[in-house]
Amino acid sequence: MAKTRTVYRCTDCGAEFPKWAGRCESCSAWNTLVEEVVAPTTTSKRTAARAAGGVAGRTVTLGSVTSSDTPRWRTGLDEFDFVLGGGIVPGSMVLVGGEPGIGKSTLLLQVAARLEAAGQATLYVSGEESALQVRLRAERLAEDASAVSLLTETSLETILATAAQPTGDGRPVRALIVDSIQTVHTELLEGAPGNVGQVRECAARLMRFAKDSGTTVFVIGHVTKGGGIAGPKTLEHIVDTVLYFEGDSTLDHRVLRATKNRFGSVDEIGVFRMVSTGLIPVDNPSALFVGDRREVASGSAVCALMEGTRPVLVEVQALAAKAGFGTPQRVANGIDARRLALLLAVLDKRGGFSCAQLDVFCNVVGGMRVQEPSVDLAVVAALASSVVDKPLPSHAVFLGELGLGGEVRPVSQAERRLAEAAKLGMTTAFMSDRAIPRRVPGDITVIGVRTLVDVLQRTVGKDAS
């Protein structure tokens, strides 16, 4: 019997090394090498023939490939269907990641109940909880999940064999949900469930099963301390769609974000509210994140973001207070801390508002995570408003990227952002004078600005230098 060997594999790029090192020589990432036990593989006649001289494969012309107009499956959870691009694609593999307790299992159990009610046989595989625990969760849901087939198993071979067989009423399994990929193991590899080799091999075989059988596979993945899905980075490359379930456990809403989608747009978001009976889709996310604007304190500004193809209004709050210690604090929640530092420097150099002796706190309301630079103008306007303690116009929206020279740059899809702002009752929009659309939707008044100083003069008065 051949002996196993130990290698060290990078969780970011998948490169293999014979010994451990602090830094991956392939992608230069630090502390990403993990130990992996590799079992020898048996060489079949076909594999030996390929290794010797190769076996010619059968080719086809693209014109001879026929496409099947298989409709997507709609679950009735509108936000979930929207993030997927219009519904579930048969034969696809979807990876759902998120922090513990955020609601991943609850969401997919609701999806399983709705698919079963629509006539699609669903198999829910739980490797972390017993059948009784899953049943107790199902009883709290508004959907009736009593008809969903349940399997408590961690062996990949058993899971695939069960999914390949018809259900008790003779229907083929059309949707397979695995909770979670870190608990599943295959007998072909040595090592405990959850290590790099087991996760990669199990995901690859589940993907092959989805493509060969036409069964849609949903896989739940845990996240690391850094926020990424645990396991090798190649796990995200294998699957068709990667969804991240985000949100603060202290809040009642959750954000489902698509970071990869072969069948739809990326960076789409869906918003849910967590209630006692499960997750409820939020029809108007902008109203949730902006809230009531009748009485607004200083340091509050509204920006319109583009999350995929959907415009969403968010409220940015900033607080500048006298530093209580020698070194002022810089706290950013929802935006990149380095981006905040850059905007503070521009506000000081180009706008005349110095925060060198002030503690600065910046927060995006509702736990939203902002990545695009169109929020820059809202951040600096909120900071300046907090410094002089003068509220900004309550029904104004700020759209623009801020350059290092203090210039306000245009944003993409300005007309759609303005339409969303007008829908929520905004009456004024500050944006670059180079990007004012020809047709302004609604009754919103667009004020074109060229530099940061123009914005500050029109909102909080002249600069504070």
Side-chain angles (χ1 to χ4, degrees), residues 12-97:
D12 281 0
C13 66
E16 182 181 310
F17 302 94
K19 62 180 181 179
W20 184 87
R23 183 181 183 183
C24 174
E25 297 179 0
S26 178
C27 64
S28 301
W30 288 92
N31 299 322
T32 57
L33 298 188
V34 295
E35 183 179 0
E36 178 180 343
V37 179
V38 180
T41 57
T42 58
T43 304
S44 63
K45 294 183 179 180
R46 183 177 180 86
T47 304
R50 285 180 174 177
V55 178
R58 182 183 178 184
T59 63
V60 296
T61 59
L62 290 178
S64 64
V65 178
T66 59
S67 61
S68 58
D69 297 330
T70 304
R72 295 176 182 244
W73 303 334
R74 299 192 63 87
T75 64
L77 290 171
D78 295 336
E79 294 294 292
F80 184 80
D81 295 335
F82 173 75
V83 173
L84 288 178
I88 300 172
V89 176
S92 63
M93 183 171 178
V94 181
L95 174 63
V96 182

Side-chain angles (χ1 to χ4, degrees), residues 85-168:
I88 300 172
V89 176
S92 63
M93 183 171 178
V94 181
L95 174 63
V96 182
E99 296 181 355
I102 202 69
K104 303 183 297 297
S105 301
T106 300
L107 175 64
L108 290 185
L109 191 57
Q110 289 183 243
V111 171
R114 288 174 175 266
L115 288 176
E116 191 71 38
Q120 306 292 346
T122 306
L123 174 61
Y124 190 96
V125 179
S126 177
E128 299 180 344
E129 298 176 313
S130 65
L132 178 59
Q133 290 174 311
V134 178
R135 170 63 187 273
L136 292 175
R137 176 187 290 112
E139 289 178 347
R140 298 195 299 266
L141 301 180
E143 293 85 357
D144 182 13
S146 58
V148 176
S149 301
L150 175 64
L151 175 66
T152 55
E153 182 60 57
T154 59
S155 172
L156 178 65
E157 287 74 18
T158 303
I159 294 173
L160 295 179
T162 306
Q165 298 295 323
T167 58

Side-chain angles (χ1 to χ4, degrees), residues 443-454:
D443 297 329
I444 193 167
T445 302
V446 177
I447 300 177
V449 293
R450 188 177 297 272
T451 64
L452 172 61
V453 175
D454 295 342

